[in-house]
Amino acid sequence: MASVTDTGSEVRAPDHAPSHPVNSGTAPRAASRRRVRGVPSPLTLRILAVNVLALLLLVGALLYLGRYQDRLVQAELDALETEARIFASALGEGAVQRAADEPELGQESYELSPELGRQMIRRLALATETHTRLYGPDGRLLSDSRVLTGSPGKIEIQELPLPPSGDPASRAVNEFYARFIDVVPSRENLPLYREPPGHAAESAAPPPNVERALAGENSATVWRLASPVARSNLLLTVAVPVQRYKEVLGAVLLSRSGTVIDEAIRSVRTDILRVFAVALLVTVLMSLYLAGTIARPIRKLAQAADRLRTGHGRHTEIPDFTRRGDEIGELSGVLRDMTAALWARMDAIERFAADVAHEIKNPLTSLRSAVETVSRIQDPARRDKLMAIIADDVQRLDRLISDISNASRLDAELSRAALEPVDIGAMLRTLADIHRTTAEDGEEDEDGAEAAPSVVIEPPRGGSLSVKGLEGRLTQVFQNLIANALSFSPPGGQVRLAARRTPDGAVEVTVSDDGPGIPEGKEEAIFERFYTERPAGEKFGTHSGLGLSISKQIVEAHGGTIRADNRLGAGGETIGAVFTVRLPRP
């Protein structure tokens, strides 16, 4: 029959937590953290903010359209310059007359005819819808397509801003857009153009690009209007010299509003905003869905954990999301396993407390009976016998309390201590040497006594037998197993220690004896707390029944297993017991 001899040091046991959950002072704070119904969770708001912000940045970059506007402006200027060259060529051929001054000998001189120039300018401008002006070589305005001259006088044509259209909301949107396009992209760096009044146009100084055209260069300029016309504050002007046989006779200036450019940009931006509206709707819906698949399960897990903390029963379960196959499912599984482990630990604490109360009650009952009896007995011999019983019970209580203290602090120590490499082969050799030295000292002190069982260690197999663990606690395991085997071995018997490295890298240690073996069906029961069934003739109360339980607890804390079996002879008879300890690879 297998039991244990305890070899651990005596240390005070830490106080255990109560077996049932208790409401702590943190309950009000936990309640205050509960989300108000109907209010989006912070996680949902963060997911929405991140996704919508990324979309806004993308759309903002698309709406900028700076390069697109530059290409449109350049294309419009190229088209306007082509028209200006055509106008200049036509004027150079059809609006030129001989100069009134007497030319030098052998040379002809030409000049622009204001009347012919006005007629041609008016006809050309009607076909192209551009504001066309003709300047003489001195920079004086000769003709303007928006000024009609006749016998009654002059009629000036002015392009007025478009009247407001649509409902107030549409007008507000248009006004906002008009302000927006002036900022994105910025047009503040463009030169400001101010149209001179009609009566002062002829005497006003020509624009700078006209002066360059009179010098023989083509000139194109983009202006910013102080008063936008037709919803555009852009004005494009191109000045081209009017030449006759390479002689500069004047300059033609074409100007056109940037309405076409703004309408093209508006159209592109409208399409982008439509796509953005759809993308924003999809992003919000997907964000809410994503937040729901993340925040809602986490909230359920938190609420279940809070109910579990504040409740007094086991009716609350952690929701099972393991089928999701993601991190939340993994968290759910871990929380469920942790809860199950906590309940198992609480059950173990309750059983441990009940077992301790039961084991302590037996010697206390014996002590009370002996104390009550000793005062009534007059016979010295019987009184001495009762005093001896009282002393044995006190020793039994002291040993039991020491073992309980050692067992109760074991969990805390195993959870805090850092694992280090431990050489199992060297440990077994040391334990065998200690027993051999102790046995030899005992033989010298007790001559003629029967030979005590010996400890024999077989050479380790499989190379290094190093594992990760706590050396002191692993030593306690093998001390318990060796002492247990010695207590059941007959005089002259052997306790054999063997260790090997298995093919999967684990270390396997066996401790076998020549004793009576383990009763059938008790191979698992011998590892229960306070279980003891000692050899015949051994003094009662010598062992507390905690040694094998502690050994199993230590081995399992190292991720290993411990097993007890009977050794069978050739005929199938029991010839001893063997304990197998398996520790995982480091």
Side-chain angles (χ1 to χ4, degrees):
M1 186 63 191
S3 184
V4 66
T5 298
D6 297 307
T7 58
S9 59
E10 298 183 10
V11 179
R12 293 186 61 188
D15 296 333
H16 286 290
S19 58
H20 294 287
V22 179
N23 288 335
S24 65
T26 60
R29 286 183 293 170
S32 65
R33 289 194 299 266
R34 293 173 184 166
R35 189 177 65 88
V36 179
R37 187 176 299 275
V39 177
S41 68
L43 183 60
T44 302
L45 295 178
R46 291 191 183 98
I47 292 176
L48 274 172
V50 170
N51 292 337
V52 173
L53 178 61
L55 185 61
L56 287 175
L57 291 176
L58 177 61
V59 171
L62 292 175
L63 290 176
Y64 181 73
L65 297 179
R67 298 288 298 275
Y68 180 66
Q69 175 181 270
D70 293 342
R71 288 195 294 270
L72 289 178
V73 169
Q74 187 60 46
E76 193 70 14
L77 286 176
D78 292 342
L80 199 61
E81 184 176 354
T82 300
E83 294 179 11
R85 287 179 177 177
I86 295 174
F87 284 17
S89 299
L91 291 169
E93 293 294 332
V96 175
Q97 62 184 7
R98 290 181 180 274
D101 299 336
E102 186 68 24
E104 296 180 6
L105 185 63
Q107 291 185 354
E108 294 183 354
S109 178
Y110 297 91
E111 64 180 4
L112 284 173
S113 170
E115 184 62 27
L116 294 176
R118 279 193 293 270
Q119 296 177 6
M120 293 187 65
I121 288 295
R122 187 167 58 252
R123 293 189 179 93
L124 293 172
L126 288 175
T128 59
E129 297 183 355
T130 58
H131 186 189
T132 307
R133 281 166 284 193
L134 179 63
Y135 291 86
D138 56 355
R140 184 171 57 89
L141 179 63
L142 301 180
S143 177
D144 190 336
S145 63
R146 292 185 180 177
V147 177
L148 303 179
T149 59
S151 57
K154 295 182 179 179
I155 300 176
E156 183 177 354
I157 302 174
Q158 291 186 355
E159 185 177 357
L160 299 178
L162 294 177
S165 61
D167 52 56
S170 300
R171 291 198 297 270
V173 171
N174 290 332
E175 183 178 356
F176 171 77
Y177 182 81
R179 295 179 181 273
F180 177 76
I181 62 173
D182 193 30
V183 178
V184 183
S186 177
R187 296 175 178 176
E188 293 295 331
N189 58 341
L190 297 178
L192 183 62
Y193 182 85
R194 296 184 183 276
E195 185 75 26
H199 62 277
E202 295 182 2
S203 59
N209 49 352
V210 172
E211 296 178 355
R212 290 193 293 271
L214 292 175
E217 300 178 5
N218 294 346
S219 175
T221 308
V222 181
W223 304 85
R224 175 171 56 90
L225 294 176
S227 327
V229 177
R231 298 178 187 170
S232 177
N233 64 343
L234 281 181
L235 181 67
L236 283 68
T237 61
V238 172
V240 174
V242 177
Q243 295 177 321
R244 175 82 173 183
Y245 302 120
K246 301 299 181 179
E247 180 184 1
V248 177
L249 304 179
V252 60
L253 175 66
L254 272 66
S255 60
R256 183 177 296 166
S257 171
T259 305
V260 175
I261 297 174
D262 286 341
E263 289 297 333
I265 295 177
R266 179 190 287 265
S267 176
V268 173
R269 282 177 173 158
T270 302
D271 293 338
I272 292 175
L273 289 176
R274 288 173 181 169
V275 175
F276 167 69
V278 176
L280 180 62
L281 178 62
V282 173
T283 299
V284 170
L285 294 178
M286 293 300 294
S287 298
L288 293 176
Y289 168 76
L290 178 63
T293 60
I294 296 175
R296 192 177 301 113
I298 292 178
R299 190 182 309 119
K300 289 182 178 180
L301 292 174
Q303 291 172 351
D306 187 63
R307 289 194 301 268
L308 192 65
R309 180 185 64 85
T310 57
H312 295 279
R314 303 191 183 188
H315 58 278
T316 301
E317 290 187 359
I318 300 295
D320 187 5
F321 298 122
T322 53
R323 293 184 179 180
R324 291 169 56 105
D326 55 9
E327 287 78 2
I328 294 180
E330 183 179 355
L331 175 62
S332 170
V334 171
L335 288 177
R336 289 172 63 87
D337 294 342
M338 181 188 70
T339 303
L342 287 175
W343 286 124
R345 179 63 57 85
M346 293 172 64
D347 291 339
I349 292 173
E350 291 177 354
R351 290 195 301 270
F352 183 76
D355 293 342
V356 167
H358 176 74
E359 291 298 321
I360 292 179
K361 187 176 181 180
N362 290 335
L364 285 177
T365 302
S366 176
L367 272 174
R368 184 179 65 180
S369 177
V371 169
E372 291 175 352
T373 305
V374 72
S375 61
R376 297 194 298 267
I377 295 178
Q378 303 299 326
D379 186 0
R382 294 180 62 188
R383 182 179 295 177
D384 292 341
K385 186 176 181 180
L386 285 175
M387 294 301 296
I389 293 174
I390 292 174
D392 288 342
D393 286 339
V394 171
Q395 291 180 359
R396 182 183 173 192
L397 274 175
D398 180 69
R399 184 165 47 251
L400 187 61
I401 292 173
S402 298
D403 293 342
I404 292 171
S405 173
N406 188 29
S408 63
R409 72 180 177 87
L410 185 59
D411 276 345
E413 180 182 342
L414 291 175
S415 63
R416 288 195 303 262
L419 303 183
E420 297 178 351
V422 179
D423 191 342
I424 299 298
M427 178 189 296
L428 295 178
R429 287 192 295 269
T430 301
L431 293 176
D433 291 341
I434 291 174
H435 178 268
R436 188 180 304 111
T437 302
T438 305
E440 291 174 356
D441 294 341
E443 290 174 0
E444 293 176 0
D445 296 337
E446 299 179 6
D447 295 333
E450 290 186 278
S454 60
V455 177
V456 179
I457 181 170
E458 299 178 3
R461 292 175 291 147
S464 173
L465 300 180
S466 178
V467 298
K468 283 278 190 178
L470 302 178
E471 185 173 7
R473 287 302 180 180
L474 291 177
T475 301
Q476 181 181 355
V477 170
F478 296 115
Q479 281 180 330
N480 286 346
L481 295 179
I482 293 172
N484 186 73
L486 289 172
S487 66
F488 282 90
S489 295
Q494 286 187 340
V495 174
R496 287 166 291 278
L497 308 179
R500 69 184 185 95
R501 176 76 70 175
T502 62
D504 61 354
V507 173
E508 189 176 86
V509 181
T510 58
V511 180
S512 56
D513 59 48
D514 297 330
I518 304 170
E520 186 177 355
K522 299 295 184 179
E523 290 84 356
E524 294 293 334
I526 61 175
F527 293 104
E528 295 178 359
R529 281 192 297 267
F530 303 112
Y531 179 90
T532 178
E533 188 170 335
R534 303 304 303 170
E538 185 177 277
K539 184 178 179 181
F540 176 75
T542 304
H543 300 279
S544 64
L546 286 173
L548 287 180
S549 175
I550 292 175
S551 298
K552 182 179 181 181
Q553 188 177 359
I554 294 173
V555 172
E556 290 180 349
H558 284 77
T561 59
I562 183 170
R563 187 180 75 251
D565 300 290
N566 283 323
R567 295 175 55 235
L568 302 179
E573 72 280 7
T574 300
I575 59 175
V578 58
F579 287 82
T580 304
V581 177
R582 182 183 177 88
L583 298 172
R585 63 187 302 174

